[in-house]
Amino acid sequence: GGGGQLLSSMLSQSGASSCILEAIIPYSKQSCLDVIQHRSSEDDEPIGFCSEDMAWRLALAARDRAYELEVDLNRWPDVHGVGMTATIVSHYRRRGGYRAHAAGVDARGVGMSYTHDLVKGHRGREGEDLSCALLAARALADSVGVETVPGVEFDGSYGVRLEEEERSNEVGEVALGLERIPVGDTRTEADADADGEAPYILVGGTKICAPKGPLPKEAIVMSCEGFEVKLDAMEAVTKLAHDARVALGREGDGTVGSWAILPAPVLVVAPKPHAPAVLAALLNLENAAVLVMNPQNTHGDNCKIPMNGLIAAARAYPSATFVVDYNDSTQQQINDNSPSTRNVGGRYIGTVTVDNSQTLLPHGTGRMVWENGIAYDGGWLHGMYHGVGRKTYSKGGGYSGGWRLGKRSGLGVSMYGGKWGYDRWEGMFVDDLPDGMGTMTSVEGTTAEFEFCKGEPVTK
């Protein structure tokens, strides 16, 4: 909670909405843990809630959150995160010392952290909150690269107790001793895997750290692997990205200004040697960047299993929308219990998961279109239709309704496309078969009760 005056001051400035994406105060321990959860792992050494390391981790989490909120990839190199944690005067006398910790970090993963050891009794609650705000402001200024602010006299000594004077606070603590001017500690985000460089993004000619948290919810991730890094191939990648945006309804509104809806951000996964060439070839694709992943993953008993960049991205960003091409061999991983799609390639656009064999599987929601024209749009579970979805065939007909583990289940509609003179039957499905009394609709629009028993018509 310390440092709230900084938020109040910044939000009161004209133009604050143009530069502040979000400001939160994770006051409880659980709230703090929620903020940093995507940057924590079981292998991390414990750190104190009120420590310089915690301020740094909060700053990194804030920077990653800025990535998630900013849909314009061209602004990602300008994002910054600031974190602050402190122990200051309360409504009772504390046994330990009072101190404030602040850190700021930029998109390149470079920043500064500060600690201010406060003399008890020199300030009341409001004064100590101001000291926290000044420390956080200093960390932010360092991250942004602002050394001076016109019309403001500010240096590291401002608000620091450098001379003895009689002071006491509201809980009766009496000030004794002096304070040191906080000195910044330069920090660099060091999260590279043991096998190589950490994931990074190339956007507008700038190399920045890849987020460890979620991508913007509209983001689309695709791969250029399998394409030669040539102009015509990159044109195919650009067209694929455009088609994906159109299919998802994320192509933007074509306007400009503060309230314009931009085309969905597209991250094209590319191997490190080809990344600069891919970025150059994508110049005509608005709101796009190149994502370079480390194609290694620790799996099982510390066994290193190589994987391509798209799979690494799927592990890192499980909530993002992916574009995945399946060929006749990988298609076998999608179990739809249909001979019409067996060993048939296709393209999937939606959320995914990665199985133990390092294969991308549709998972969540998405649309799969096979090369023979069959399409499915809806819920998935580990490569199987699951939840609610719609499957259609190239020559007409299909099914829309509930699915369970790849089979039609629950209330649904069989669409006949005029076959046998029927338009559709609506009723219950059990184990992939129509079962029970339902409503049959003819091509002329007339309706009648019609019963199935385990997929067979019941005649009476």
Side-chain angles (χ1 to χ4, degrees), residues 220-223 240 244 310 321-325 347-350:
I220 301 170
V221 183
M222 52 183 289
S223 177
L240 177 57
L310 196 64
T321 298
F322 283 76
V323 179
V324 185
D325 282 328
R347 175 169 294 155
Y348 173 77
I349 302 176

Side-chain angles (χ1 to χ4, degrees), residues 147-367:
E147 296 182 358
T148 61
V149 178
V152 178
E153 295 182 6
F154 173 74
D155 61 31
S157 65
Y158 187 82
V160 180
R161 178 182 168 95
L162 299 177
E163 297 179 358
E164 287 283 2
E165 56 180 309
E166 292 185 6
R167 291 281 190 94
S168 63
N169 60 21
E170 53 261 50
V171 295
E173 294 168 328
V174 178
L176 294 173
L178 302 177
E179 298 172 349
R180 294 182 178 179
I181 298 174
V183 177
D185 180 19
T186 302
R187 289 184 177 240
T188 302
E189 183 176 6
D191 59 357
D193 296 333
D195 295 309
E197 192 171 16
Y200 64 89
I201 288 173
L202 288 179
V203 54
T206 302
K207 178 181 176 180
I208 60 175
C209 297
K212 276 201 166 182
L215 298 173
K217 63 181 181 180
E218 297 290 308
I220 301 170
V221 183
M222 52 183 289
S223 177
C224 71
E225 295 182 19
F227 291 92
E228 294 184 29
V229 186
K230 296 180 180 179
L231 183 58
D232 56 346
M234 289 302 100
E235 287 177 351
V237 172
T238 299
K239 183 180 184 303
L240 177 57
H242 171 75
D243 292 346
R245 283 171 170 167
V246 172
L248 295 165
R250 303 178 188 176
E251 64 268 39
D253 61 5
T255 64
V256 296
S258 300
W259 296 101
I261 300 176
L262 294 176
V266 171
L267 294 172
V268 179
V269 179
K272 180 179 178 180
H274 298 159
V278 173
L279 180 65
L282 294 176
L283 287 179
N284 293 328
L285 182 63
E286 184 181 359
N287 203 20
V290 175
L291 172 62
V292 179
M293 301 296 299
N294 183 354
Q296 293 287 335
N297 180 55
T298 302
H299 182 78
D301 299 326
N302 294 321
C303 175
K304 300 296 183 181
I305 299 178
M307 56 184 173
N308 66 36
L310 196 64
I311 293 176
R315 288 193 176 278
Y317 309 113
S319 61
T321 298
F322 283 76
V323 179
V324 185
D325 282 328
Y326 291 93
N327 56 36
D328 54 0
S329 59
T330 58
Q331 173 58 32
Q332 297 174 16
Q333 302 294 327
I334 301 179
N335 178 18
D336 68 343
N337 298 302
S338 172
S340 56
T341 58
R342 188 172 298 129
N343 297 327
V344 179
R347 175 169 294 155
Y348 173 77
I349 302 176
T351 52
V352 299
T353 189
V354 182
D355 69 2
N356 291 332
S357 64
Q358 303 293 349
T359 300
L360 285 171
L361 295 177
H363 186 75
T365 58
R367 176 178 173 81

Side-chain angles (χ1 to χ4, degrees), residues 426-437:
E426 182 174 1
M428 297 300 295
F429 287 75
V430 178
D431 198 26
D432 209 37
L433 298 173
D435 192 78
M437 187 66 70

